[in-house]
Amino acid sequence: MTWIAVDWGGSNLRAWLMQDDTAVAEAGDRSAGARTLNRDEFEPTLSKLIDPWRSTWGDRPVMILICGEAGSREGWFEAPFAQAPCTPRTLAPTRVPTQDAGLQVYMMPGLSQLRPKPTILRGEETQISGFLASHPTFEGVICLPGTHSKWAHVSAEEIVSFETTMTGEMYDLLAETSILRHSVAHGDPDGIAFDEGVDVTLSNPERLVTEVAAIRASHVLTGATKTAADARLSGLLIGAEIAALKPYWLGQQVALIGREVLCGLYARALSKQGVPADRFAAGPLTQAGLFTALGTLD
Amino acid sequence: MTWIAVDWGGSNLRAWLMQDDTAVAEAGDRSAGARTLNRDEFEPTLSKLIDPWRSTWGDRPVMILICGEAGSREGWFEAPFAQAPCTPRTLAPTRVPTQDAGLQVYMMPGLSQLRPKPTILRGEETQISGFLASHPTFEGVICLPGTHSKWAHVSAEEIVSFETTMTGEMYDLLAETSILRHSVAHGDPDGIAFDEGVDVTLSNPERLVTEVAAIRASHVLTGATKTAADARLSGLLIGAEIAALKPYWLGQQVALIGREVLCGLYARALSKQGVPADRFAAGPLTQAGLFTALGTLD
């Protein structure tokens, strides 16, 4: 079967032309994140992106499966949340009304949890489903670092519970908008500065709020380099996240899903705690998770 | 002696026409914060603000003393920091070069500290000096909540050490720029929601990063009101600050200097820890601190 898999996150749109479970072509639009579009811009944006592939279907409707923030309240179409605990492979997508009758669009449901703490996710449920398709006996914790990092306890093919932190968004706000913008600059991550930042907040998470402020003062007073300050900020925030999620990873095996560089930083921080973590790229898992969901439509 | 006292912070400019230690007139410009101006805009902005008072001096130069972020690297004129530990009443202002020879402008030095942690402040040194002018025997902690909150250990008329958190700026970034902007709205502080937020991070400061994210989910899932979410966010951040500064306030008497509403929230949170805190408005203390500095010029 020929279909289109779409990962439509807050800041990026990616689509793959799929032949069964295999991606045969890829297209993306980094300026079309779900958070940047008005509701009526979603369908034309997607339509334009996939237009080169459209002839594949002839007169038949184009089958499109989407996961991610496009399904949120501020996105294209609010798909009702499935509720944790749940079995990811049973999650079924919802049909999205379209102007163009030639598009058959479905949206993944995302996941919500009320207890022990209110939490929501959109897109990660599909990546976890894709991961479990090839690791059905996995027991442990899946961490998906990013703008809003997610941690999920997985047991017996079920997401038992999950947690959210805003680490990536906090990093962006602090580095680009706050007073720290004068003192940090992206660069090669400075290994020592990152590690020192992680050490501080992992062992004393209450110091996050004073240590972040000290980055500004260190730059002004000691001329600490902006790239080292950037690495320290990253370390302080990731260390604080890992400290907060200790009840999740302690004594568990951990799988990291996401961007290679980011997963590398989390793996490095976790290894300091004696926690080995396997790493997986998000794209193939998203495709696998959407392929699993395609099966629920038959 | 007739002179002008100026508190020029990051987001606000306030000036007082002074007769010795008494303010006889006041002027302000909320759109002329030091963080919003280019270097060459400071002198004309101040000149315009004080113009109605200028005739007081006749042909003699107008004496102006300034404290606050106008003296920072990104401000009007970078005044070299004095270093803690120090005695606030001995801090001497630096002459600022002006285009207009009829202006005699002096800038307070701010304060820096390298150990135990790099920290800087601009303006608070003057408020502390003003506070100690009327409380010379005070021993304990002075907390100045705000965009960047400051905590200072004071003993024998000396600032022994101080700390910074970015609580106010973090609150603004989260409430106005982050994903939480869809879920919070300013309103009457909700007493219960504020107190609950404080309780969480005061007792478990590592939970700050997950609890802040849960504000968004609570709104989406349970319809938590935006004003209650705002109060909870405020409570979580202030609780985290007070938890981080525990080595400062534990077993000490505390004086709070700043805006009435904000000092009220900090006093409320501190009282939960059995710490009574006296509150003082910043304006009169700034005037008193600048009057003390005027004495060093004689």
Side-chain angles (χ1 to χ4, degrees):
Chain A
M1 173 176 190
T2 307
W3 59 289
I4 293 174
V6 178
D7 180 4
W8 207 330
S11 53
N12 196 10
L13 162 61
R14 293 178 78 190
W16 299 276
L17 179 64
M18 302 291 295
Q19 196 64 50
D20 295 327
D21 61 351
T22 305
V24 295
E26 182 169 345
D29 187 344
R30 289 198 164 271
S31 69
R35 253 176 250 144
T36 68
L37 299 181
N38 295 320
R39 183 150 298 191
D40 58 4
E41 295 173 309
F42 282 87
E43 187 178 330
T45 300
L46 181 63
S47 198
K48 188 177 166 195
L49 189 72
I50 65 166
D51 193 55
W53 303 336
R54 199 144 176 175
S55 58
T56 312
W57 283 267
D59 288 339
R60 289 167 300 133
V62 182
M63 169 65 84
I64 303 173
L65 256 66
I66 305 176
C67 67
E69 285 195 40
S72 75
R73 186 170 298 183
E74 287 85 19
W76 182 357
F77 172 83
E78 188 177 7
F81 287 112
Q83 283 179 36
C86 74
T87 307
R89 66 175 153 74
T90 65
L91 294 174
T94 305
R95 181 75 187 264
V96 179
T98 52
Q99 301 286 320
D100 179 346
L103 298 179
Q104 200 167 334
V105 176
Y106 289 86
M107 187 74 75
M108 290 296 286
L111 213 58
S112 73
Q113 163 189 290
L114 271 174
R115 291 184 184 77
K117 183 186 296 172
T119 318
I120 53 179
L121 56 74
R122 294 248 180 224
E124 293 87 354
E125 79 292 335
T126 303
Q127 295 173 23
I128 294 171
S129 171
F131 173 80
L132 290 176
S134 52
H135 302 77
T137 61
F138 178 86
E139 304 266 326
V141 175
I142 301 179
C143 168
L144 306 103
T147 306
H148 296 172
S149 297
K150 306 292 175 180
W151 294 69
H153 255 160
V154 172
S155 178
E157 293 192 70
E158 192 178 75
I159 295 175
V160 179
S161 73
F162 64 100
E163 276 268 22
T164 302
T165 73
M166 294 166 58
T167 303
E169 184 166 16
M170 288 301 310
Y171 169 82
D172 290 342
L173 289 170
L174 287 167
E176 291 162 21
T177 308
S178 86
I179 185 77
L180 298 187
R181 71 185 184 280
H182 300 299
S183 304
V184 304
H186 296 306
D188 294 329
D190 179 311
I192 294 169
F194 175 80
D195 288 345
E196 286 177 349
V198 169
D199 285 344
V200 168
T201 47
L202 250 174
S203 49
N204 295 98
E206 78 283 0
R207 287 175 57 190
L208 175 66
V209 296
T210 51
E211 290 291 339
V212 164
I215 286 175
R216 168 69 176 158
S218 292
H219 176 63
V220 171
L221 296 179
T222 70
T225 70
K226 290 186 177 188
T227 51
D230 180 67
R232 185 176 176 91
L233 175 61
S234 173
L236 288 170
L237 290 169
I238 290 175
E241 176 179 343
I242 292 176
L245 274 299
K246 191 167 186 174
Y248 265 66
W249 52 259
L250 195 66
Q252 302 276 348
Q253 63 171 320
V254 175
L256 283 161
I257 299 176
R259 287 191 294 120
E260 190 177 348
V261 172
L262 199 54
C263 285
L265 293 176
Y266 278 71
R268 182 169 173 154
L270 283 165
S271 73
K272 290 173 166 292
Q273 303 299 304
V275 178
D278 292 324
R279 293 183 251 167
F280 302 87
L285 299 184
T286 302
Q287 296 157 17
L290 288 171
F291 186 68
T292 299
L294 193 67
T296 68
L297 294 176
D298 288 343
Chain B
M1 172 174 191
T2 306
W3 59 290
I4 294 175
V6 178
D7 180 4
W8 206 329
S11 52
N12 196 10
L13 162 62
R14 293 177 79 187
W16 299 276
L17 178 63
M18 302 291 295
Q19 198 61 53
D20 295 326
D21 61 352
T22 305
V24 296
E26 181 171 346
D29 186 344
R30 290 200 161 272
S31 68
R35 253 176 250 144
T36 68
L37 299 181
N38 295 319
R39 184 150 297 191
D40 58 3
E41 295 173 308
F42 281 87
E43 186 177 330
T45 299
L46 181 63
S47 198
K48 189 176 165 196
L49 189 73
I50 64 166
D51 192 55
W53 303 337
R54 198 144 177 175
S55 59
T56 311
W57 283 266
D59 289 337
R60 289 166 301 132
V62 183
M63 169 65 85
I64 303 174
L65 255 66
I66 305 176
C67 67
E69 287 194 38
S72 75
R73 186 170 299 184
E74 287 85 18
W76 181 358
F77 172 84
E78 188 176 7
F81 287 112
Q83 283 179 38
C86 74
T87 307
R89 67 176 153 71
T90 66
L91 294 173
T94 305
R95 181 74 185 266
V96 179
T98 51
Q99 300 287 320
D100 180 346
L103 298 179
Q104 199 166 338
V105 177
Y106 289 86
M107 188 75 73
M108 290 294 287
L111 212 56
S112 71
Q113 163 188 291
L114 272 174
R115 292 186 183 74
K117 181 186 295 168
T119 317
I120 52 179
L121 56 73
R122 292 247 180 226
E124 292 87 354
E125 78 292 336
T126 303
Q127 294 171 24
I128 294 170
S129 171
F131 173 80
L132 291 175
S134 51
H135 302 76
T137 62
F138 177 86
E139 303 267 326
V141 176
I142 301 179
C143 168
L144 306 103
T147 304
H148 295 172
S149 297
K150 306 292 175 182
W151 294 69
H153 256 160
V154 172
S155 178
E157 293 192 73
E158 191 177 74
I159 296 176
V160 179
S161 73
F162 64 102
E163 277 268 23
T164 302
T165 74
M166 295 166 58
T167 303
E169 184 166 18
M170 287 300 311
Y171 170 82
D172 290 342
L173 288 171
L174 288 167
E176 290 161 21
T177 307
S178 86
I179 185 77
L180 298 187
R181 70 186 184 280
H182 300 299
S183 303
V184 304
H186 295 307
D188 293 329
D190 179 311
I192 294 170
F194 175 80
D195 288 346
E196 287 176 349
V198 170
D199 286 343
V200 167
T201 46
L202 250 174
S203 48
N204 296 98
E206 78 283 1
R207 286 176 57 190
L208 175 67
V209 296
T210 51
E211 290 291 339
V212 164
I215 286 174
R216 168 68 176 160
S218 292
H219 176 63
V220 171
L221 297 179
T222 70
T225 70
K226 291 186 174 187
T227 52
D230 180 69
R232 184 175 177 90
L233 175 61
S234 172
L236 288 170
L237 290 169
I238 290 175
E241 176 178 342
I242 292 175
L245 275 299
K246 192 168 185 173
Y248 266 67
W249 52 258
L250 195 66
Q252 302 278 349
Q253 65 172 318
V254 176
L256 283 160
I257 299 176
R259 286 191 293 122
E260 190 177 350
V261 171
L262 199 54
C263 286
L265 293 177
Y266 277 70
R268 183 169 171 156
L270 283 164
S271 73
K272 290 172 166 291
Q273 304 299 305
V275 178
D278 292 324
R279 293 182 251 168
F280 302 87
L285 299 185
T286 302
Q287 296 157 17
L290 289 171
F291 186 68
T292 299
L294 192 67
T296 69
L297 294 175
D298 288 344

